[in-house]
Each structure stands twice: as C-alpha cells, then as structure tokens.
Amino acid sequence: MNEIHRPEDLDRATIERLARAESRVVLAPGLLAALAESRRATLDDLDGDRPVYGVNTGMGAMAGVRLDAEARARQQNTLMAGRAAGSAPWLRRIEARAVLAARLRTLLHPAAGVSPGLCEFLVALLDADVVPAIPRRGGAAGEIIPLAHAGAVLIGTGQVLSPGGNGEAAAGQNAALALAAAGLAPRPFEAKEGVAFLEGVPGLTGLAILAASDVRTLLAQVLEGVAAEHAVIGASTDPLHPALADSDELRDVLDALRERYRSSGRTGALQAPVSFRVTAPALAVALRAAAGLEAAADRALTAVTDSPAHLDGRFVGTFGFAGTDLAATAAALTTALVHLAELGTARLHRLLDDARTGLPRQLSDSPGLHAGMVTVHKRAVGVAHRLRRFTGPALIGPMETSLGQEDVQSFGFEAAECLGEAVTGLRDVLACELLAVHQARLLGADVPAGSWAEILPVSTADRPYGHDLDELIGWLGG
C-alpha cells in the first residue's frame, strides 16, 4: 500500500503498478486536507454571476448559452451522457486502469478544484477493480468521448468490463450493478467536477506509460536476438567498436551487444550486411524515443490539464486537452519501432542464405522437401509491410468540429493505437527471428541456446510454425 502525500507521489511508476493491479494507494490526510482547501477556494469563486465555461455555460459552440440554476444542478452529470458516443472495441483492463490512475493524478492538481471525495472514489474503483468499458478509438475534441464513458461509470450508468476479462464489456451488466457488487454507490459529479473529469489527456498519458514500459522490455529482447543473429552469420564486430558511440544510448547498446555476442570463430564476410551494421544505432534511436515519451508523460502528469483551470482566484481557459506533446513523441517512437521491424525482416532474410551462414539454404533440414524458415520470413515481411500504415503521425490532419470552435485536433487515442500496433508488430517480427535462430542452432550453428529455446520443439522438420510463433509471442509479451 502506497500512501500518497503529494500529487507527485503518484508518479509514472506508481501509475503503472496501479494499472497492473500490483499496488494499491491511499490518499494521506494532509493531501485530502489540501484538496479540501482548493475545493473551498474553487466553490467560493464559483459563487457569483461570472460566466464559467462548462459550469454555468454550455460547452464547445454552446459556450455562449448561460444555464439557469436547475440546468446547472444537472449539467455535470449530463455532460457524460451525450458524450459517451463510443463503442467497442474497448481498452483492455490494464489500459483502462491506467486511464483511471492517470485521471486521479491530474485531479490531485489544485487547479482542477475537485473535491477529496471524487479522488477517493477513483481510488475505491481501482481497489475494487471496477473497470469502465472505455472505447479504444477516441474520436475528436481531446478525450471527451472515452472520458465520458469512464465518468458514466462513477454515476452508475454505462458499461464495465467483465471481471477477469481482457477487454470485453460485461453483457447486460451496467455500472450500477458492478458498483453495488463491490459495495459502492454511484457518486454524482458536483459543481465543476464533470467538466474537470472530461478535460486533459489522462487516456493518452496512461496508455503512453504502459507502452513505454513495454517498449523498454521489447528492446532488451530485440538486443538479445540481434546478438544471436550476429553469431549465426559470424558478423564482424567492427561496427560494435566503442569509439563509434555518439550518445549514451548508443554506448549502452554497443556495450550490451559486445557482451552478448561471442563469436564462434567462424569468419563471415569482411562486412556484415547493412541491416546488421545499422541495428545498434536504430536501437539507440528507439531507446531515445522511449525516453522522450516517458518525459512527455511526466510532463502531462504534472501539468495543468483542466480547462477552465482555477488559477489565481479565477477560471482560465487552457490548452491542456490538446495532447500535442504526447501525440508527437508517441509518433516518433512508433516510427523507430517500425524501422526496427523492417531491419528485423532484412536480418532474418540473411539468415536464410547459406552463403552467409554455412548452413542449409532457407534453414531447411531437407532442402526441396522441407521449406524451412522461408514462410516464417514471409510472415515477418507481411507484418512489417502492414506496420508502415501506422507511421503517419496522428497529430497531422486538422479537422473541425463543434461548428468550428474546435478547429484543430491532436487525436491522442489514435496516436496510442498506432504505437500499440508497432509494439505488437515488432514483437511478431522478433518471434520470427528467434524461431530462425533456434532452427539455425539445431542445424549446427555455434550459438548459445537462448532462454526462448525452452518453449520450442527440438526439431528441424517442417511443421505448422504458427503454433511456435504464438508461443514465442506470448513469451515475449510476458
């Protein structure tokens, strides 16, 4: 149990643990007192006739419409209903929990002006594992559509994910039933809390935190596979010379490859194929991009994301809903991962060349009768080709909504979806590479058995390799 004394205690690492249900948090009394104070100040400044966007006015193009007292009393909950316009496919449980955790973190900022009770209710939802069904595709205008689906659960409407499921909405189970089963009652939004819940980019922030962590793991696995592929072809160690490092990331990659690559003594070509020589800098670029996404997520967690934000005694319209920083850094990482997938298909192709490896052509134990790894390579090529369509930055392409009030969009959920596809695709390509390395070793290559060999058959005969690849993908994904 982690006690959160300050908003910054709910950092990126803690959010990831909450998303994975590996930790629980409690809000310390001092933090609750600070939230109560910022809430009192917010309510004091709401007491008057000044227009406050989304509180006593409509939203978007309706901002010029003033609401009477009766409408104001209903509006913060009504905001969720008309904006919950999404549908399946839903985020996975871990992803939806990350969204809730990131939302909690941003609501702890005093500029949000929400009550301690709202923040404690989000903690209770995470503790009870009541997980909103949040659409995977976000739509436009910030994250109002997915966040409306999450907010609808708090007030007892909408859908929740099936207990133990991985992204399925519970058939016929609405939020009120799920809350009751967890011993919770619906918690209506109070003044300004509904609009605060819909603002910002906690969705992309939470998804970016998970993706960056997955990428770190995946890049370490790619490095292990690359070292083994070097051994299969007897690649020159010249491109691994420490003097070639132009950054800390590249230095770390070169050090790790030299440590893991132990040449068998077999001498390959004077120069290894380009795909082998440029993999180290490509890994360094991906590591740098992952760090960039992590830094953007850290900035998003500490930034003022509410609009209007309560600052210096007044309500200020902000740009915190845009997600530009996160969308741009996610796109950079997506491109770096797709490039690594393309390099993987090229290295894999070289492993099928008997002139490179000294092994049977196509890594077949019976050339002509058995196809060997040629169709495994074809699968990798198809995956890499598909990935190219996800390298177009989601940030590019402004489209107007709300009668032109929202005339530029950042499309954060789409940026997260592209990054997720790149992670999944690179993992698929890597599985193909590892299977070929395993085959090469069984055919006589002087390569140490990787840890992945434990889940693969000790056989070089043709078989439905899809099963082996599924096992490898599952193993790589943990």
Side-chain angles (χ1 to χ4, degrees):
M1 178 75 72
N2 291 344
E3 191 169 32
I4 306 300
H5 294 272
R6 307 168 301 162
E8 51 265 36
D9 291 341
L10 190 52
D11 58 10
R12 176 162 40 88
T14 304
I15 288 172
E16 182 182 353
R17 290 194 296 272
L18 281 172
R20 300 185 188 280
E22 296 173 350
S23 178
R24 297 173 63 185
V25 298
V26 61
L27 305 182
L31 178 56
L32 292 173
L35 287 169
E37 179 58 34
S38 62
R39 179 62 175 167
R40 279 192 295 271
T42 298
L43 292 177
D44 287 345
D45 288 324
L46 284 176
D47 188 15
D49 194 44
R50 289 176 298 175
V52 180
Y53 178 78
V55 178
N56 57 20
T57 76
M59 292 184 68
M62 296 289 191
V65 177
R66 294 295 295 270
L67 304 179
D68 60 26
E70 181 181 354
R72 288 175 61 179
R74 300 196 312 268
Q75 186 206 25
Q76 297 303 298
N77 293 316
T78 303
L79 287 174
M80 306 302 156
R83 290 161 179 79
S87 55
W90 312 108
L91 295 180
R92 295 179 295 127
R93 294 185 74 80
I94 184 176
E95 295 169 326
R97 286 179 60 90
V99 175
L100 286 184
R103 176 79 292 175
L104 170 62
R105 169 62 181 90
T106 55
L107 291 181
L108 295 178
H109 197 296
V114 303
S115 67
L118 175 57
C119 297
E120 288 186 297
F121 196 81
L122 289 177
V123 172
L125 284 181
L126 290 165
D127 284 348
D129 200 30
V130 175
V131 183
I134 300 175
R136 177 167 295 281
R137 277 116 200 201
E143 297 182 355
I144 61 170
I145 292 176
L147 292 178
H149 281 265
V153 170
L154 276 67
I155 61 178
T157 62
Q159 289 180 292
V160 297
L161 297 183
S162 302
N166 196 33
E168 307 84 8
Q173 183 182 12
N174 62 30
L177 294 176
L179 291 172
L184 301 172
R187 199 272 182 196
F189 290 100
E190 300 171 0
K192 193 190 172 295
E193 289 185 332
V195 65
F197 196 89
L198 291 178
E199 294 292 354
V201 286
L204 178 53
T205 305
L207 296 175
I209 289 170
L210 292 178
S213 177
D214 288 344
V215 166
R216 292 281 187 184
T217 299
L218 180 55
L219 294 180
Q221 294 166 335
V222 170
L223 192 146
E224 295 287 344
V226 169
E229 289 172 323
H230 273 66
V232 172
I233 71 166
S236 169
T237 58
D238 285 356
L240 307 182
H241 195 288
L244 300 177
D246 60 3
S247 65
D248 291 341
E249 294 87 359
L250 184 52
R251 182 175 297 105
D252 290 343
V253 170
L254 293 176
D255 289 347
L257 283 173
R258 286 197 308 274
E259 178 183 346
R260 287 161 178 77
Y261 172 32
R262 294 290 182 262
S263 174
S264 62
R266 177 182 175 277
T267 303
L270 181 61
Q271 284 196 323
V274 172
S275 56
F276 283 77
R277 284 184 276 153
V278 303
T279 292
L283 279 166
V285 167
L287 286 167
R288 200 172 301 122
L293 183 61
E294 290 166 341
D298 288 339
R299 289 190 291 271
L301 291 175
T302 59
V304 173
T305 62
D306 199 12
S307 184
H310 188 235
L311 299 169
D312 301 323
R314 68 188 188 94
F315 295 95
V316 179
T318 78
F319 47 75
F321 54 85
T324 307
D325 189 8
L326 280 165
T329 50
L333 181 53
T334 298
T335 300
L337 297 183
V338 173
H339 179 53
L340 281 174
E342 292 182 328
L343 289 176
T345 63
R347 290 192 308 271
L348 175 53
H349 205 191
R350 303 288 78 77
L351 297 188
L352 306 188
D353 186 349
D354 55 320
R356 298 283 184 184
T357 66
L359 301 171
R361 183 178 301 180
Q362 296 185 177
L363 296 178
S364 168
D365 67 353
S366 183
L369 176 62
H370 288 169
M373 293 288 103
V374 67
T375 49
V376 172
H377 176 250
K378 291 179 187 296
R379 169 171 169 166
V381 167
V383 171
H385 182 268
R386 178 179 179 272
L387 289 181
R388 292 169 185 164
R389 72 190 68 176
F390 299 107
T391 57
L395 192 61
I396 302 302
M399 300 176 71
E400 291 193 354
T401 65
S402 194
L403 301 181
Q405 172 68 18
E406 292 144 354
D407 52 3
V408 175
Q409 316 286 337
S410 57
F411 298 105
F413 267 49
E414 287 65 33
E417 183 177 22
C418 291
L419 178 54
E421 291 285 354
V423 172
T424 299
L426 177 56
R427 190 178 289 134
D428 195 325
V429 170
L430 177 58
C432 294
E433 295 176 76
L434 297 182
L435 182 58
V437 169
H438 178 70
Q439 181 85 342
R441 177 176 170 273
L442 295 179
L443 288 172
D446 187 8
V447 182
S451 51
W452 57 86
E454 299 176 4
I455 62 174
L456 295 173
V458 185
S459 171
T460 57
D462 276 6
R463 55 187 180 274
Y465 291 119
H467 175 74
D468 295 347
L469 293 171
D470 282 344
E471 292 292 315
L472 280 168
I473 290 167
W475 178 80
L476 289 168

